[in-house]
Amino acid sequence: LYSKICSHAMWWGTLGTVRPFPNFNSEKDARDIQTALESKDSDVNTLVRILTNRNNAQRQSIAESYRNLTQKELCPALKKAVSGGLEQLMLGLMMTPSQFDAHRLRQAMEGIGTDEESLLAVLCTKSPQQLKDATIAYKQEFGRYLENDLISETSKDFTKLVLAILKKEELNSKEMVDYQLINQDVKALNDAVNGKKKDPAPWIQVLTTRDSNHLNRVLSRLEDLRGETVDKTVQSHFSGDLRLGFRTLVVSIPSIPLFLAQRLHSNIKKSSLVQGILISHSEEDLLCVRIEYRRLTNTSLYSTLQKEYKGEMQQALLALCRSEDL
């Protein structure tokens, strides 16, 4: 039942923790936010309470009502009221999902050196349509082409891999199980690591042009054939960023929620990474991530956040996480 419930293909978008707020009134929210921002030390508690308890579409509507009410933009006002990690979180909440993805990708490439792990974590957990939307938002937000930035920030076969993930198209038929193609793919992946010179091309091609149900069958058969996990095969035969890329794909393909739960568990003290996952997945599949986190760590994500964070940041993260898993 769990795998049925958390299957993206079937239930895409219904397993979020943040739902539309009932009896929503954007004008009232905008007035309450204006009062909170104008109070002596800014009433941050009210800002957090309202913005984390509305879904993204409602937040966009609040921003519009705030503009009509005050003739000012909401984001610059929030920037003045909060700072540090909380500022980053509040501004993240005010972006559309595709703008937020674009900002996370830019963040991974900005400054000295690229954060390949963060780059892959966004690219490998988004649907082809979400990646198309993020590409458009990236150009609008930064006046730059995402593809060009990926090319200049990566090299060789790793560049080919990230571009293939960005443009991923699921070319296999989803209506039926194509056993012939499964056998063909297993053979291509196996042959590519059997020779003296390892060939990443078939791995890039297969892992970025098939849907997850097909790939799960392929990877499972490959494991049976080789008598080892696919992760081990990747570790033994590839190196550097390309190895990291293939490992991220083979871990995230069977279960994006499990991949994200593992990422949260290893990085729970990294506030910006935790925020990124919670905001990005709060209306999609964060319930599945919570279930996997509980399974993986024997503690709930909610109580872990309660322990690791304090004050308004804690309040905001708990609101996005939404509830305890006993």
Side-chain angles (χ1 to χ4, degrees), residues 201-268:
W203 281 74
I204 294 173
Q205 202 251 331
V206 170
L207 293 178
T208 61
T209 58
R210 314 281 193 258
D211 77 324
S212 59
N213 289 334
H214 175 92
L215 284 171
N216 279 330
R217 291 186 168 94
V218 169
L219 297 177
S220 170
R221 290 238 181 136
L222 184 66
E223 291 190 339
D224 292 345
L225 178 68
R226 297 187 64 85
E228 63 180 11
T229 65
V230 184
D231 188 44
K232 190 152 191 280
T233 303
V234 167
Q235 290 206 58
S236 311
H237 295 92
F238 299 103
S239 60
D241 292 338
L242 187 63
R243 172 163 65 189
L244 178 67
F246 286 148
R247 287 191 74 194
T248 306
L249 278 169
V250 301
V251 173
S252 60
I253 285 164
S255 169
I256 287 173
L258 174 58
F259 167 71
L260 292 170
Q262 289 167 336
R263 199 155 158 71
L264 283 168
H265 180 50
S266 313
N267 300 280
I268 200 73

Side-chain angles (χ1 to χ4, degrees), residues 188-199 226 237:
L189 295 180
N190 192 43
D191 289 352
V193 293
N194 268 352
K196 258 196 178 123
K197 188 168 181 344
K198 312 304 170 222
D199 181 9
R226 297 187 64 85
H237 295 92

